[in-house]
Amino acid sequence: MVETPFTSIVAGLPATIPFVGPEAIERRRGRRFELRLGANESLFGVSPLVADAIAGEIARAGWYGDPEAFDLRTKVASSLGGIGIDRLVMGAGIDELLGVLVRLVTEPGDPVVTSAGAYPTFNYHVAGFGGRLVAVPYRNDQEDLDALADAVRREGAKLVYLSNPDNPMGSWHDASAIEAFVQALPEKTLVILDEAYAEFAPTSALPPLAFTDPRLVRLRTFSKAHGLAGLRVGYAMADPSVIQGIGKIRNHFGVNRFAQAAAIAALDDPGFTDEVVVEVERGRADYARLANDCGVEPLPSATNFVTIDVGGFERARAILQALEAEAVFIRMPGVTPLNRCIRVTVGPAADRARFAEIFERVTQRV
Ligand SMILES: Cc1ncc(COP(=O)(O)O)c(C=O)c1O
């Protein structure tokens, strides 16, 4: 038998992936999900302008996309109030950019700081580039900024990850706390501020775009409020020197033509996105009422999902499994004490009503 000459890093990795997709669960169960509420995707479709843009691009499917994504970066820059396009780089979603950022600064064995139970795709990239993950616990269901900063200093870490608002808890910090966190970091530390849920957050949670710091990389995506998760497009905002560094190693054709055209069209229809955000707010309130009615505790959320404390890991897992048996896909956090909760994506009113019906039944039984 031929043995593949894996690098020592790859050879040492467990055969693990960050997520088991809903499709894999469907294949295992031999049945499709009726409600897909586990991946914080948008369940609100896309703007008609986006649909037209995608259809229009079919004629050019044979061409590579613009590797500089110039038109899209220009559009993003103007939608953000005129930041320089030299501060922007696009990627195939935040997930790809996380990998590029880890690779940018991590040598094998380097410490990298995150929170225990935070977004697992980041950890996956750290492992893949041979970094040593240092994870600090959440405090009161929030990422603990003081503990993250302490760990950075103690370990001499060059990279720290923080998501605001946070997945999986839905919690958030005020912009002032985030700014103070960045400014207190050692000069040579890069902080990844993952703002995947920015559109759903109160503006008080988002540092102004005028707040720039060479240590700060902010990540945004078209996967959530704009409904383009399947097309894979997101961006990093950072100091031009960081963007130049990323340019040395990124996948230049990673953001395909359809993704670029669709993202531009999405920004041409801010009214559509605003409606999604308003409906998600309504949905969060619906879920909060539902949870209270069922005797479990909804956590405050600044995202497109609601995390619900059901009282313990065993019950959370049992509820997840019972929902799965009812063809409802949800997820739950992976570590203690967060795993006393389940996490449910907010969908349109009809989906919420159907979920409520099933959830009431399931929580009475489990
Ligand atoms: C915190 C966080 N970051 C990034 C992502 C993925 O974003 P993208 O689809 O742009 O890769 C998610 C998706 O669930 C997320 O929760």
Side-chain angles (χ1 to χ4, degrees):
M1 202 179 87
V2 180
E3 231 181 89
T4 307
F6 292 123
T7 65
S8 55
I9 291 173
V10 173
L13 291 177
T16 178
I17 51 166
F19 295 112
V20 178
E23 291 81 3
I25 304 172
E26 288 177 336
R27 283 190 291 274
R28 171 168 53 74
R29 289 167 26 84
R31 185 178 162 203
R32 301 296 289 266
F33 283 116
E34 180 195 339
L35 291 175
R36 187 164 151 141
L37 307 176
N40 304 336
E41 300 152 316
S42 175
L43 302 167
F44 298 93
V46 294
S47 146
L49 299 190
V50 168
D52 285 349
I54 293 171
E57 212 48 44
I58 289 173
R60 289 176 289 276
W63 298 359
Y64 292 102
D66 173 7
E68 292 172 33
F70 183 83
D71 293 345
L72 175 54
R73 282 192 301 141
T74 305
K75 190 85 201 176
V76 169
S78 76
S79 81
L80 294 173
I83 70 166
I85 70 164
D86 59 344
R87 301 187 58 81
L88 285 172
V89 62
M90 310 305 300
I94 288 178
D95 283 0
E96 182 184 55
L97 292 163
L98 288 174
V100 175
L101 286 161
V102 172
R103 184 177 169 205
L104 196 63
V105 297
T106 308
E107 318 257 12
D110 277 354
V112 177
V113 174
T114 185
S115 303
Y119 192 55
T121 305
F122 178 71
N123 306 357
Y124 169 79
H125 288 306
V126 172
F129 289 108
R132 179 171 58 82
L133 207 63
V134 178
V136 306
Y138 278 61
R139 189 172 54 183
N140 299 329
D141 296 329
Q142 286 188 313
E143 294 203 46
D144 185 341
L145 299 179
D146 293 337
L148 287 167
D150 286 349
V152 165
R153 281 190 288 270
R154 187 182 66 239
E155 301 280 344
K158 289 184 284 183
L159 187 62
V160 54
Y161 172 85
L162 166 70
S163 128
N164 192 59
D166 171 68
N167 177 15
M169 302 312 276
S171 57
W172 67 100
H173 288 283
D174 273 347
S176 54
I178 300 287
E179 289 171 39
F181 170 74
V182 174
Q183 283 166 336
L185 289 174
E187 236 170 62
K188 287 214 166 141
T189 301
L190 205 61
V191 52
I192 298 178
L193 177 61
D194 182 341
E195 297 181 321
Y197 300 97
E199 290 84 358
F200 304 103
T203 44
S204 60
L206 306 174
L209 294 165
F211 174 72
T212 58
D213 189 297
R215 290 165 289 193
L216 175 63
V217 182
R218 296 172 79 161
L219 300 179
R220 302 251 175 120
T221 183
F222 287 88
S223 293
K224 306 295 176 185
H226 302 98
L228 302 184
L231 287 186
R232 314 305 302 130
V233 53
Y235 57 92
M237 285 181 271
D239 191 79
S241 62
V242 177
I243 301 293
Q244 274 171 23
I246 293 172
K248 296 181 188 179
I249 57 170
R250 74 187 175 90
N251 174 10
H252 288 263
F253 293 100
V255 184
N256 67 67
R257 303 192 66 83
F258 294 95
Q260 293 190 32
I264 290 172
L267 293 177
D268 277 333
D269 194 353
F272 177 88
T273 313
D274 291 347
E275 277 172 32
V276 170
V277 170
V278 168
E279 192 55 28
V280 165
E281 269 169 30
R282 277 193 208 114
R284 290 194 307 233
D286 284 354
Y287 280 174
R289 264 190 304 274
L290 170 68
N292 287 323
D293 290 349
C294 295
V296 289
E297 192 196 333
L299 305 187
S301 169
T303 65
N304 68 347
F305 60 85
V306 175
T307 299
I308 302 172
D309 182 346
V310 298
F313 165 67
E314 296 294 343
R315 186 163 190 228
R317 194 176 52 179
I319 289 175
L320 183 139
Q321 285 167 350
L323 288 171
E324 197 178 295
E326 301 264 1
V328 178
F329 167 58
I330 63 155
R331 281 202 173 114
M332 59 183 284
V335 305
T336 313
L338 315 183
N339 60 9
R340 68 186 196 286
C341 299
I342 58 166
R343 196 196 69 183
V344 189
T345 308
V346 172
D351 289 8
R352 302 197 300 265
R354 179 78 182 118
F355 176 72
E357 217 179 281
I358 300 171
F359 190 68
E360 276 166 11
R361 208 169 347 107
V362 161
T363 46
Q364 270 169 25
R365 206 174 65 225
V366 178

